Amino acid sequence: MPALRYCEPRDAVVPTSDAATDCDLCGAFTTATAAPRSPFAAGDILFHQGDAVRLVYRVLRGAVISYRLLSDGRRQVTGFHLPGDYLGLEAGVEHATTAEALCHVDALAMERTDLAARAVTDIGLARALWQVTVRAFRRSEDHALILARQGATERVAAFLLDFAQRLGDAVTIDLPMTRQDIADHVGLTIHTVSRTLSQLQAQGMIEARSSRQVRLLQRQRLEWLCA
């Protein structure tokens, strides 16, 4: 199976959303006039932690990383957002994280107040918002489960399997994030992540073709590690 790439403009694939349930929400974004399509270059900030929540984004192409800066200066990566994902659907009035483009990102933006007002009278849109919120909550739970795993091998294997699943159970995955990003996501050091990937490759479970591309050779063994 060919790798799916998210850092090139030609990609329009949407692997993470349920198109049937999101059609009402997609429609709201495509008809929004207050906040048009917004391209971002790698390193551009969509919003900062602590900013007032004003816009909701739907990622069309590229990948976005969200992270929280802790009081001791450390960075906690809370998620990676791929085409079809939404950002800014937060319960509070301020963003709990910073969202940064990992590469060229195309996104649709919509005023949150406009989206909320439409949902009051549009049952289909309200249902779609609820479903997207549930998916985001489940992803947060999945992340918590990764962090709860005691061993580095289990954490890295769980991350790879989760990311591959988000790409439609891809065998070869192109990672838009750096190994430092992965380390900050799974609660390990970059050296531990690199060493663990090397160990998984030596054991024949993966093939790390480059620092950004990984091929899952023995998915079942990886799943056993996480059982």
Side-chain angles (χ1 to χ4, degrees):
M1 181 179 294
L4 297 179
R5 301 177 183 274
Y6 290 94
C7 295
E8 298 180 12
R10 68 174 181 273
D11 270 321
V13 68
V14 181
T16 57
S17 283
D18 184 333
T21 58
D22 289 352
C23 59
D24 292 293
L25 188 52
C26 295
F29 274 82
T30 55
T31 57
T33 57
R37 181 186 178 117
S38 305
F40 298 93
D44 283 353
I45 302 297
L46 281 72
F47 52 78
H48 287 92
Q49 177 180 342
D51 284 351
V53 178
R54 186 176 70 86
L55 297 176
V56 178
Y57 294 93
R58 180 173 187 266
V59 180
L60 299 179
R61 292 182 177 86
V64 177
I65 183 174
S66 59
Y67 57 85
R68 182 183 296 113
L69 295 179
L70 306 179
S71 57
D72 59 4
R74 290 180 299 147
R75 185 185 71 155
Q76 180 186 31
V77 173
T78 57
F80 301 102
H81 310 276
L82 305 178
D85 286 345
Y86 297 87
L87 298 100
L89 292 173
E90 304 180 44
V93 296
E94 295 182 349
H95 288 293
T97 62
T98 294
E100 178 181 335
L102 286 171
C103 50
H104 178 90
V105 170
D106 287 329
L108 292 175
M110 184 176 183
E111 296 281 350
R112 191 170 78 158
T113 53
D114 184 17
L115 184 60
R118 294 193 191 193
V120 171
T121 58
D122 188 331
I123 297 177
L125 176 58
R127 183 185 300 111
L129 281 171
W130 178 79
Q131 291 169 334
V132 168
T133 302
V134 169
R135 283 206 301 271
F137 177 73
R138 287 175 178 168
R139 291 215 54 76
S140 179
E141 285 188 320
D142 291 342
H143 183 217
L145 287 174
I146 290 178
L147 294 179
R149 299 183 186 280
Q150 294 183 350
T153 303
E154 291 85 350
R155 293 189 192 190
V156 173
F159 169 79
L160 292 175
L161 288 169
D162 174 71
F163 205 79
Q165 182 181 36
R166 296 180 68 190
L167 303 184
D169 287 327
V171 175
T172 301
I173 53 178
D174 284 335
L175 301 171
M177 71 291 290
T178 66
R179 291 191 177 181
Q180 184 63 65
D181 295 333
I182 297 173
D184 290 345
H185 184 58
V186 299
L188 299 170
T189 67
I190 185 174
H191 302 293
T192 301
V193 169
S194 296
R195 183 175 66 251
T196 302
L197 289 170
S198 297
Q199 290 172 347
L200 291 173
Q201 179 167 252
Q203 294 168 6
M205 285 184 269
I206 68 169
E207 179 187 1
R209 296 182 170 182
S210 70
S211 62
R212 294 294 186 94
Q213 188 180 82
V214 176
R215 182 175 177 82
L216 307 186
L217 301 178
Q218 298 186 33
R219 184 186 297 266
Q220 189 173 47
R221 287 183 64 190
L222 290 170
E223 292 171 347
W224 284 344
L225 287 175
C226 303

